[in-house]
Amino acid sequence: MNPIFCAFDTPDPVAARGLAMRLAGHIGGIKLGLEFFMAAGPMGVREVAGDSGLPLFLDVKLHDIPNTVAGAVRSILPLEPKLLTIHAGGGPAMMEAAAKAAAEAGAQRPKLIGVTVLTSLDDTDLAVMGVNRPSTDQAIALAKLTKDCGLDGAVCSPLEVTALRDACGPDFTLVVPGIRPAGGDAGDQKRIMTPGQALNAGADVLVIGRPITGAADPAAAAKAINQEIGAR
Ligand code: C5P
């Protein structure tokens, strides 16, 4: 399976649909996040993912009381995402409720992916929020918790892949943004690896946005990345 999920960070369903059509066959799936979902809603998601036939990663980072999150998961199931993000900070009961709701879809159920510590937070931010251990330790602890609560994996930076793989085992799905092709522009990403490096470290899903979506020829950019990582 192609591990590349391309991040479409746009509110515009027409642009997203055009991009999906151009990239179909060259990527493993598309990631639609809150910017898109708030603007275009489930209808927009259907237009983009359904028409292109590309697997969907719905990155809406659910976080609320258990009953509400379970309801949100049920509402999302008809969109048939392959991956769906849930904030680990919502706690064990919330994650267990999400896993139970997702299981109602049977074999079609999405993989639930925990968001541990947002990479926009550093140790100082965590301390202000009452978390007094380093961000990496917090990410590892929350990743273990997501696994114990029945989630399928976690989002992590390329530099955390080895630690989370060691902590959570071989079957835990590691979803990794912060990927830049060799020689590419890092942009605002600081903790980066190339696609090949991240896969070698143990990443399962590579989230790649602007190196593909911002290229003059997005399909050619995706093909070049496929060549770099070979047929995996
Ligand atoms: O364009 P770029 O490749 O940097 O896009 C990365 C995608 O992954 C964006 O949608 C971004 O919001 C998301 N992401 C991230 N870092 C995280 C979690 C998500 O870059 N820690």
Side-chain angles (χ1 to χ4, degrees), residues 2-226:
N2 188 319
I4 302 169
F5 271 66
C6 185
F8 287 9
D9 289 315
T10 171
D12 179 358
V14 177
R17 192 174 179 281
L19 202 49
M21 293 312 206
R22 288 165 81 178
L23 289 172
H26 305 303
I27 56 174
I30 57 182
K31 179 176 92 78
L32 296 173
L34 282 171
E35 183 182 3
F36 184 86
F37 198 75
M38 293 299 179
M43 287 277 281
V45 172
R46 277 199 188 90
E47 268 173 42
V48 175
D51 288 357
S52 67
L54 282 165
L56 171 67
F57 172 7
L58 202 52
D59 184 18
V60 287
K61 298 186 174 67
L62 300 176
H63 189 168
D64 209 313
I65 60 170
N67 186 57
T68 301
V69 166
V73 170
R74 279 191 202 100
S75 294
I76 284 168
L77 290 180
L79 296 173
E80 298 187 354
K82 297 277 178 254
L83 303 167
L84 173 65
T85 42
I86 311 278
H87 262 292
M94 188 203 76
M95 289 192 277
E96 283 163 8
K100 207 170 155 203
E104 290 168 18
Q108 293 301 315
R109 84 176 187 89
K111 277 191 179 179
L112 297 187
I113 304 297
V115 176
T116 58
V117 181
L118 293 171
T119 45
S120 51
L121 301 175
D122 62 18
D123 291 356
T124 312
D125 297 317
L126 290 183
V128 171
M129 294 159 74
V131 177
N132 289 310
R133 56 185 164 191
S135 57
T136 308
D137 294 355
Q138 177 72 354
I140 291 170
L142 286 179
K144 282 188 189 161
L145 182 65
T146 66
K147 192 181 174 201
D148 292 345
C149 294
L151 268 58
D152 303 283
V155 182
C156 67
S157 96
L159 304 187
E160 290 165 350
V161 167
T162 307
L164 261 65
R165 180 62 70 215
D166 287 350
C168 298
D171 298 330
F172 197 66
T173 300
L174 295 178
V175 175
V176 184
I179 304 295
R180 289 295 176 266
D185 182 6
D188 52 2
Q189 295 282 15
K190 295 194 176 111
R191 297 184 285 157
I192 58 175
M193 278 190 190
T194 67
Q197 286 170 335
L199 288 174
N200 287 338
D204 297 298
V205 172
L206 305 178
V207 175
I208 308 179
R210 289 161 292 178
I212 295 174
T213 59
D217 182 344
K223 274 193 228 172
I225 296 171
N226 284 329

